[in-house]
Amino acid sequence: MKYVIGARGSQLSIAQTNWVKSELKKINPDAEFEIKTITTKGDTDARPLFTIDQKGIFEKEIDRAVADNEVDFAVHSLKDVPSQLIDDLILSSIPKREMVNDIFISSDGTNLDSVKPGAVIGTSSLRRAVQITRKRPDVIVRPIRGNIETRIRKVFANEFDAIVLAQAGITRLGVDTTFTRLSIEDFSPSPGQGALAIVSRKNDSDTNSMLAKIEDSDSRLEIEAERALSDYVDSGCRFPIGAYAKSNGDEMTLSVSAFSVDGKQSLFVTKSGSKYDPVSLGKIVGMELRKKGVNDLAINWRKKVEEWNKQ
C-alpha cells in the first residue's frame, strides 16, 4: 500500500513529516510513503503573521488536497490548524507532543535577563512580543519572518541581537545551537504549541485506523482543552492567549494568560478538572477569563493591529 502525505515545503515541515513517516513505518513496515509538498498562503505572503486576517494560512491548501483525494493525509504543526476543518476532514491523529517551552537564542550567549538594554529581539508572535516587553521593557521587539534556520542566521549576521521561538521546532530539526529555555510561567505557549496534527478524510477508515496507532491520548486531551479555551474566547494570532494543559493521573490543569497590547494589564487563570472532559475545562477557564474582562483586552489588540496595518 502506498500513501501520499501532504506537507509544506519548509525544512521544519519536511522534518516533521519524515518523523511521522518513520513512526508509521514501525507499525506498517510494508507500506510506502511519499511526501507531496504544497505551497500555502502563509508561504507566499511576506507580511508579519499578525497582520494577515485569515485563519489556516499554513494549512488550507494542503487540506484541500486531502479533501480532493490528491493526497491521503496531511501533517501540520497543530497550532496552525483552525478548529473548523474543511467538510469531510477530521483531525485523525495527534502524536506525542514535544516540549512546549519558548527559547531565547542570542549570538553572544546572553539570555533574556542579561541581554543589553536596547537590544533588538525578533519574534513572529505577538504573544511572545508582549511577554518579552513585560519581562524586559528596555529592549526593542521587531517582527521576523522566515524559517527557523533563516531566523537563526539573522541573529549571527547581527540583524537581530536575539530571537525567541518555540523549542519544538529546534528539536525536530535537530538544529545544533545554544539556547536558553524560557519558563512557561513567563512565556505561556500558544494553544497546541509543540504538537503535530494529522488530518485525513473522515470516510477513509483504513488510513484513519493506521494513523490512530501513533496517537498519544494525553496529548490529544490536553490539546482539546487548550483549543476549547481558544475557541470560547475566539483567540488567534491577532489576539494571542497563552494556554497550557497538563495531565496528572485522571486530572488535568489548564493554565491561561492574556495581556493588554502594552503588556501592562494581565489576566491569569488556572483551573483543574477531569482530563476526560477537556472541552468543559476549556470552557470553564474561558468563562472565568470573560468575567475578568478578556474581551476588553481583545478589542485593544484588534485596534492596535489596525494601526500597524496603516503604517
Side-chain angles (χ1 to χ4, degrees), residues 185-200:
E185 290 73 26
D186 291 330
F187 285 80
S188 183
S190 63
Q193 184 162 307
L196 299 180
I198 306 179
V199 172
S200 60

Side-chain angles (χ1 to χ4, degrees), residues 58-107:
F58 287 117
E59 59 78 43
K60 186 170 288 185
E61 291 85 354
I62 302 171
D63 282 354
R64 174 53 60 193
V66 179
D68 291 344
N69 288 279
E70 295 172 14
V71 299
D72 295 296
F73 57 93
V75 177
H76 303 289
S77 294
L78 191 139
K79 62 184 178 59
D80 294 334
V81 179
S83 55
Q84 297 298 319
L85 295 173
I86 295 172
D87 288 346
D88 302 324
L89 298 187
I90 57 170
L91 181 49
S92 49
S93 183
I94 300 176
K96 187 169 179 59
R97 193 180 202 177
E98 280 283 359
M99 295 281 290
V100 303
N101 298 72
D102 288 334
I103 58 174
F104 184 90
I105 298 175
S106 63
S107 58

Side-chain angles (χ1 to χ4, degrees), residues 101-120:
N101 298 72
D102 288 334
I103 58 174
F104 184 90
I105 298 175
S106 63
S107 58
D108 59 2
T110 55
N111 58 33
L112 183 55
D113 292 326
S114 62
V115 72
K116 64 186 179 184
V120 178

Side-chain angles (χ1 to χ4, degrees), residues 160-181:
F160 293 83
D161 294 294
I163 54 173
V164 173
L165 69 168
Q167 180 175 344
I170 294 287
T171 301
R172 290 201 178 102
L173 277 172
V175 175
D176 183 16
T177 189
T178 302
F179 61 80
T180 303
R181 185 178 294 128

Side-chain angles (χ1 to χ4, degrees), residues 95-298:
K96 187 169 179 59
R97 193 180 202 177
E98 280 283 359
M99 295 281 290
V100 303
N101 298 72
D102 288 334
I103 58 174
F104 184 90
I105 298 175
S106 63
S107 58
D108 59 2
T110 55
N111 58 33
L112 183 55
D113 292 326
S114 62
V115 72
K116 64 186 179 184
V120 178
I121 300 176
T123 177
S124 64
S125 160
L126 274 176
R127 170 186 54 81
R128 293 182 185 119
V130 173
Q131 290 170 332
I132 293 166
T133 302
R134 282 173 57 83
K135 191 84 172 159
R136 284 294 305 272
D138 58 341
V139 301
I140 300 166
V141 184
R142 290 184 181 160
I144 185 171
R145 286 294 303 272
N147 59 37
I148 289 173
E149 300 90 334
T150 298
R151 296 183 209 180
I152 293 174
R153 280 198 298 270
K154 288 181 178 181
V155 174
F156 289 93
N158 296 316
E159 294 180 43
F160 293 83
D161 294 294
I163 54 173
V164 173
L165 69 168
Q167 180 175 344
I170 294 287
T171 301
R172 290 201 178 102
L173 277 172
V175 175
D176 183 16
T177 189
T178 302
F179 61 80
T180 303
R181 185 178 294 128
L182 299 168
S183 72
I184 291 173
E185 290 73 26
D186 291 330
F187 285 80
S188 183
S190 63
Q193 184 162 307
L196 299 180
I198 306 179
V199 172
S200 60
R201 291 182 291 277
K202 194 180 299 182
N203 63 1
D204 190 350
S205 57
D206 289 343
T207 298
N208 294 337
S209 176
M210 175 185 67
L211 296 173
K213 293 177 182 177
I214 64 169
E215 166 138 310
D216 181 74
S217 58
D218 277 356
S219 295
R220 162 79 70 166
L221 293 168
E222 290 162 0
I223 284 157
E224 285 184 357
E226 295 170 15
R227 285 165 73 86
L229 171 277
S230 183
D231 289 343
Y232 189 81
V233 299
D234 194 27
S235 68
C237 62
R238 289 165 66 85
F239 175 49
I241 282 180
Y244 179 49
K246 184 63 180 173
S247 301
N248 184 12
D250 291 335
E251 281 205 337
M252 180 186 294
T253 300
L254 176 58
S255 300
V256 181
S257 62
F259 307 102
S260 62
V261 73
D262 60 6
K264 294 179 180 178
Q265 294 175 274
S266 57
L267 298 176
F268 300 95
V269 176
T270 298
K271 289 190 177 295
S272 297
S274 169
K275 79 173 183 181
Y276 301 109
D277 193 5
V279 174
S280 292
L281 179 58
K283 288 182 177 178
I284 289 168
V285 173
M287 290 171 64
E288 185 68 20
L289 280 174
R290 282 190 175 181
K291 287 179 185 177
K292 292 188 173 187
V294 73
N295 287 348
D296 293 334
L297 299 186

